[in-house]
Amino acid sequence: MLNPTEQDEKHYLEEIKARLAQALSRMESRVREYSEELREKKQYIFENQSGMDDADRVAAGQSIDRMVNTGESAVERRRKLLKLMQSPYFGRIDFKAQHDEKATLIYIGLATFTDDAERVNYIFDWRAPISSLFYDFELGAATYETLSKKFTGQISLKRQYKIRDGRMEFMIENSVSILDDVLQRELSKSADDKMKNIVATIQRDQNQVIRNETASVMIIQGVAGSGKTSIALHRIAFLLYRFRDTIKAKDILILSPNKVFADYISNVLPELGEEYIPETGIEELANVLLENKYPFQTFFQQVAALLNHPHAEFIERIRFKSSFEFLSQLNKYFIYLENNSFKPVDLKVAGVVVPSPFVLEKFRSWSRMPMSKRIPEVVQEVLQYVRNGANRKLSGGEKARVWEVVPRMFNIRSAFDVYKGFFEWIGKPEMFRMMQGMKLEFADVFPLLYCKIRLEGIQSYDHIKHLLVDEMQDYTPVQYAVLSRVFKCKKTILGDVNQPVNPYSASSAESIEEVFPQGEIVKLFRSYRSTWEITQFSLRICPNPNLVAMERHGAAPEVLGFASADAEVEGIYKACVNFERSGNQSLGIICKTQRQAEMLFEKISNLIQARSEQAAMRSIHLLTPESTSFSSGIIITTVHLSKGLEFDAVLVPFVTAGNYSSDIDKRMLYIACTRAMHTLTLTYEKERSVFLE
């Protein structure tokens, strides 16, 4: 056996680093050569452009493009080699396939490393087919599949390493719980200001999701802390590797809940050797599709209104527009419009009478097109009918008459009129209310978009080959109906039905499947983020019998009561001071509303400035809907903006009977508590919430 001891492994690591260094040196030389060659080529073209014809210029441009692409590939390879120098690999298996004389040593890392001269593969990319053995099997019988063949054999050795800055910190040997041991070590670490990759600790069920190549729509329902976002990003990295000839990073779009979350996850794919993936928010998408014609309430503002002023009529409008019944009635309404919005009449032009049944037949023959898009087609059919009857070309005036009369037969003018008319048609005009300043309620934005699609058609994103939708529970059936028409590509949709920030419009995996019947549902029940004590505490707020807590223990959550509001703020300030001395990286102070977060931020900031501890205190940060980045340290934020984030320590303030009392409050409290990795503290003044009983 090669490298039987840990000391042998350390020597082997040095050999690999030396080979990597040689490869890196060669790649540095290539990058310099390409750069110099490109500079010389551009200089030559500049000096000789007066004597070049068009063909010469085209050829020169193509030559430069080839050189740029080759140079970019070299730069990318250099980047991967630099990353491998820091941590060449994290796992090893010895696999002997049937009919082979000896086992193959497979070292697994973030990227492939091959010695071109010796034609030896020293490191396998974690996404390679053979690397799946590491995630799916322990010692003994094992199989893996390539595109053309299935391999069966035996794993005789399995090891896992932690290599950082080129130095081996530990090695774990031949244990059936090898991943669990490393997982425990990784989960015990402090949180960073960016989500980390999990290639070294991917579990078997997670690996099946990541490597699923066939699902046109993958729906991942995962409990809080199950790693669903990380799994989805690793799935994207796998698809980019597996289909690298047909799909690139620019062909993928992430629909993220906010800019802070987008920043938090931005490091994962580059860490995995992939380029930055474009992302957008649901409101940005809506603005583009509505051509910025309709100002509207944001989702954050809708949730804030529900928390601050939960009016029954407002809740009822949201609940109604978030139902499948609403989408079903919209579809019935368009069947009605199909049969009643086009009123043809006999038309006489150039002595030829075009009968109304002919005009109606042509309107209906284009049924696959949006209704208003059919009118130009009907006009052309009518013009051809008249030309055939008159047996001559038509004059400009005759054509103009057809173009004037036929569009008037269609009695719909805009998608907005259609949408507003829908509520009259169903006998519920009170369900549509414009906000002050002629602003749409957020619950009306996507129904209006749906009407626009059915009436006018809409810009589709045909260049997108894969869509990733996070926080799936916060989208409604009509939103998914719009997404299914705008994005025809494959999709990965993920979330947790137990974490809606607006329970009146929450979707489950099963309800999403009704919009995407071809979808494959995967459910993840094991929670990795929080300690066992924090998870059990959170489950007492919102029970979930399916959730399996990770056996990682820590301090029990604290619930601290104070006699006054000032005393509570003082207690929160002391928690900030203690955090600074703890060695942890992140403290999330998670408030229910933005107003509370801003008030607390001001009070804590004033205390920091007034006290002697300020020299030892790092600055604290307030997250707002306009924030675009996430950083470590002390973060004051809202439950809504904390979705998807995690902190070493979490403090939830103002958990009073009055502040946390409704069903939506209970969900908010659950989400806040499940952001904590290692410690959780809740504070209240006088009377605590019933959810803490």
Side-chain angles (χ1 to χ4, degrees):
M1 180 176 68
L2 182 66
N3 308 327
T5 69
E6 185 168 347
Q7 194 58 41
D8 293 327
E9 287 283 13
K10 288 181 178 178
H11 288 312
Y12 183 73
L13 174 60
E14 294 305 315
E15 288 180 29
I16 293 297
K17 283 164 57 182
R19 292 182 183 277
L20 284 166
Q22 291 174 356
L24 184 59
S25 177
R26 291 195 297 268
M27 198 55 61
E28 295 277 11
S29 297
R30 280 191 209 170
V31 170
R32 285 194 296 271
E33 287 170 11
Y34 289 133
S35 178
E36 181 61 24
E37 192 177 344
L38 182 60
R39 188 192 64 77
E40 291 175 356
K41 187 73 173 180
K42 287 182 175 179
Q43 182 70 22
Y44 172 80
I45 293 172
F46 177 75
E47 293 173 352
N48 296 277
Q49 57 184 328
S50 59
M52 298 172 72
D53 58 20
D54 289 344
D56 290 333
R57 291 191 183 92
V58 170
Q62 291 173 340
S63 175
I64 286 176
D65 287 342
R66 283 193 297 271
M67 291 165 64
V68 167
N69 290 334
T70 306
E72 286 178 349
S73 297
V75 169
E76 176 61 21
R77 184 61 185 156
R78 179 181 65 181
R79 187 175 69 83
K80 289 185 177 180
L81 287 169
L82 283 167
K83 189 171 283 294
L84 286 177
M85 284 289 290
Q86 296 297 306
S87 181
Y89 43 81
F90 56 82
R92 167 187 169 178
I93 50 174
D94 292 4
F95 178 72
K96 182 177 179 296
Q98 274 185 340
H99 312 304
D100 284 359
E101 292 184 7
K102 59 180 182 178
T104 301
L105 273 66
I106 303 154
Y107 282 87
I108 301 165
L110 282 174
T112 300
F113 173 57
T114 304
D115 189 305
D116 295 330
E118 297 182 21
R119 311 290 294 174
V120 174
N121 203 354
Y122 286 104
I123 303 172
F124 289 82
D125 192 297
W126 66 277
R127 298 164 290 187
I130 199 169
S131 299
S132 65
L133 292 168
F134 179 77
Y135 300 110
D136 290 343
F137 297 97
E138 300 301 334
L139 300 184
T143 61
Y144 75 95
E145 291 185 48
T146 64
L147 289 176
S148 57
K149 189 175 179 181
K150 183 174 183 177
F151 293 86
T152 302
Q154 294 280 324
I155 296 175
S156 57
L157 179 77
K158 185 172 181 180
R159 285 177 177 166
Q160 192 151 2
Y161 318 91
K162 178 65 176 181
I163 302 171
R164 185 161 54 181
D165 296 331
R167 187 176 66 84
M168 187 180 293
E169 294 184 355
F170 64 79
M171 179 186 93
I172 296 177
E173 173 89 39
N174 281 4
S175 167
V176 294
S177 61
I178 187 167
L179 283 171
D180 285 341
D181 290 342
V182 177
L183 183 59
Q184 289 279 9
R185 295 188 190 216
E186 291 299 310
L187 293 175
S188 297
K189 289 183 176 178
S190 292
D192 206 341
D193 61 351
K194 293 285 189 290
M195 182 180 280
K196 304 180 183 77
N197 77 70
I198 60 168
V199 290
T201 58
I202 292 170
Q203 307 295 289
R204 184 173 186 174
D205 57 342
Q206 297 172 334
N207 192 46
Q208 303 308 311
V209 177
I210 290 168
R211 292 175 185 264
N212 185 313
E213 302 175 15
T214 58
S216 59
V217 178
M218 171 71 77
I219 304 169
I220 306 171
Q221 160 70 44
V223 298
S226 58
K228 51 193 171 292
T229 300
S230 193
I231 292 166
L233 293 171
H234 285 67
R235 171 169 161 75
I236 293 298
F238 172 77
L239 294 173
L240 286 168
Y241 173 89
R242 169 66 182 82
F243 300 103
R244 52 191 174 276
D245 293 333
T246 57
I247 185 169
K248 305 298 180 189
K250 62 180 175 57
D251 303 326
I252 297 171
L253 182 65
I254 298 175
L255 203 56
S256 60
N258 56 64
K259 293 298 180 186
V260 172
F261 179 76
D263 177 64
Y264 178 63
I265 67 172
S266 63
N267 206 45
V268 175
L269 285 160
E271 266 196 10
L272 297 173
E274 300 299 339
E275 297 175 36
Y276 170 78
I277 301 270
E279 64 83 27
T280 190
I282 194 72
E283 285 129 5
E284 292 175 271
L285 178 67
N287 256 326
V288 170
L289 296 176
L290 289 172
E291 300 165 340
N292 295 304
K293 290 180 179 177
Y294 302 94
F296 57 80
Q297 175 190 46
T298 66
F299 183 53
F300 184 90
Q301 290 166 343
Q302 183 197 70
V303 173
L306 287 170
L307 292 172
N308 294 318
H309 309 290
H311 297 306
E313 297 85 357
F314 182 52
I315 291 172
E316 187 54 36
R317 289 197 296 274
I318 293 171
R319 198 193 301 272
F320 174 62
K321 293 164 190 174
S322 304
S323 65
F324 270 101
E325 175 61 24
F326 174 74
L327 180 58
S328 175
Q329 288 186 330
L330 263 180
N331 286 328
K332 290 176 183 175
Y333 178 54
F334 274 94
I335 294 173
Y336 167 80
L337 293 179
E338 179 86 23
N339 294 321
N340 293 277
S341 62
F342 190 71
K343 304 289 187 183
V345 295
D346 291 348
L347 173 64
K348 187 174 183 180
V349 180
V352 177
V353 176
V354 184
S356 60
F358 172 84
V359 182
L360 181 60
E361 177 200 343
K362 294 307 175 186
F363 178 79
R364 290 180 173 169
S365 70
W366 293 94
S367 60
R368 291 186 176 274
M369 292 184 73
M371 284 190 286
S372 65
K373 296 284 187 184
R374 302 179 205 175
I375 303 305
E377 304 296 338
V378 174
V379 167
Q380 294 300 331
E381 299 270 14
V382 170
L383 288 171
Q384 188 60 48
Y385 185 97
V386 174
R387 277 192 291 267
N388 292 341
N391 199 25
R392 63 174 174 81
K393 287 184 177 182
L394 302 183
S395 67
E398 290 165 337
K399 291 178 183 177
R401 173 160 169 72
V402 174
W403 276 104
E404 177 189 356
V405 174
V406 173
R408 285 210 304 262
M409 299 176 189
F410 188 56
N411 60 21
I412 294 175
R413 293 294 165 258
S414 72
F416 184 85
D417 290 341
V418 166
Y419 183 52
K420 195 172 178 183
F422 164 73
F423 294 97
E424 300 287 344
W425 184 74
I426 62 173
K428 294 183 177 181
E430 74 281 0
M431 283 293 168
F432 181 74
R433 288 286 179 272
M434 294 292 286
M435 300 178 69
Q436 192 173 5
M438 292 302 290
K439 181 188 283 189
L440 287 169
E441 290 183 345
F442 183 73
D444 290 311
V445 175
F446 279 82
L448 174 59
L449 264 173
Y450 188 73
C451 291
K452 181 177 171 65
I453 291 171
R454 296 292 300 266
L455 178 66
E456 306 169 8
I458 209 161
Q459 169 193 348
S460 63
Y461 285 66
D462 292 338
H463 65 287
I464 298 298
K465 297 180 180 177
H466 200 102
L467 178 70
L468 192 156
V469 181
D470 207 345
E471 303 295 347
M472 69 182 190
Q473 69 279 2
D474 290 333
Y475 296 89
T476 65
V478 74
Q479 284 178 301
Y480 283 113
V482 168
L483 292 178
S484 71
R485 285 164 170 77
V486 174
F487 298 96
K488 309 292 187 185
C489 58
K490 292 187 174 184
K491 300 171 183 70
T492 300
I493 303 172
L494 59 140
D496 178 13
V497 71
N498 288 308
Q499 295 185 71
V501 290
N502 177 359
Y504 309 116
S505 63
S507 292
S508 65
E510 288 74 19
S511 64
I512 295 167
E513 191 180 27
E514 290 191 40
V515 180
F516 301 105
Q518 74 277 31
E520 290 186 27
I521 295 177
V522 175
K523 296 193 175 183
L524 305 173
F525 298 116
R526 182 173 289 276
S527 179
Y528 299 98
R529 176 186 298 133
S530 305
T531 62
W532 190 88
E533 289 76 11
I534 293 172
T535 302
Q536 296 306 314
F537 182 91
S538 303
L539 287 174
R540 287 197 291 274
I541 298 169
C542 280
N544 182 355
N546 295 317
L547 188 149
V548 180
M550 186 75 181
E551 284 286 340
R552 180 174 69 86
H553 289 280
E558 285 190 290
V559 179
L560 306 177
F562 296 89
S564 68
D566 288 343
E568 183 176 6
V569 171
E570 180 70 26
I572 295 168
Y573 168 74
K574 287 179 179 176
C576 293
V577 174
N578 292 335
F579 162 75
E580 292 291 358
R581 298 167 181 163
S582 70
N584 284 327
Q585 296 299 310
S586 61
L587 167 64
I589 302 176
I590 304 177
C591 302
K592 191 177 89 168
T593 69
Q594 191 65 33
R595 189 184 306 160
Q596 292 170 357
E598 290 169 358
M599 177 272 292
L600 185 60
F601 175 75
E602 182 180 358
K603 289 186 176 182
I604 297 295
S605 298
N606 290 339
L607 283 173
I608 290 174
Q609 290 176 3
R611 304 289 175 87
S612 59
E613 286 94 348
Q614 63 178 321
M617 290 282 279
R618 287 173 286 183
S619 60
I620 64 172
H621 308 276
L622 173 68
L623 294 187
T624 71
E626 290 73 41
S627 297
T628 57
S629 62
F630 180 78
S631 59
S632 57
I634 302 171
I635 305 289
I636 298 181
T637 185
T638 62
V639 176
H640 190 168
L641 291 176
S642 73
K643 292 282 290 291
L645 307 179
E646 59 186 28
F647 304 88
D648 288 332
V650 163
L651 190 151
V652 188
F654 318 131
V655 192
T656 62
N659 196 31
Y660 283 93
S661 58
S662 67
D663 184 58
I664 188 171
D665 294 338
K666 181 169 70 170
R667 298 287 181 185
M668 290 287 185
L669 188 58
Y670 174 77
I671 294 168
C673 292
T674 57
R675 302 306 94 203
M677 294 175 63
H678 310 308
T679 66
L680 172 64
T681 305
L682 299 93
T683 66
Y684 67 93
E685 175 202 356
K686 294 179 181 175
E687 185 182 358
R688 63 182 174 180
S689 167
V690 66
F691 305 132
L692 298 183
E693 296 300 329

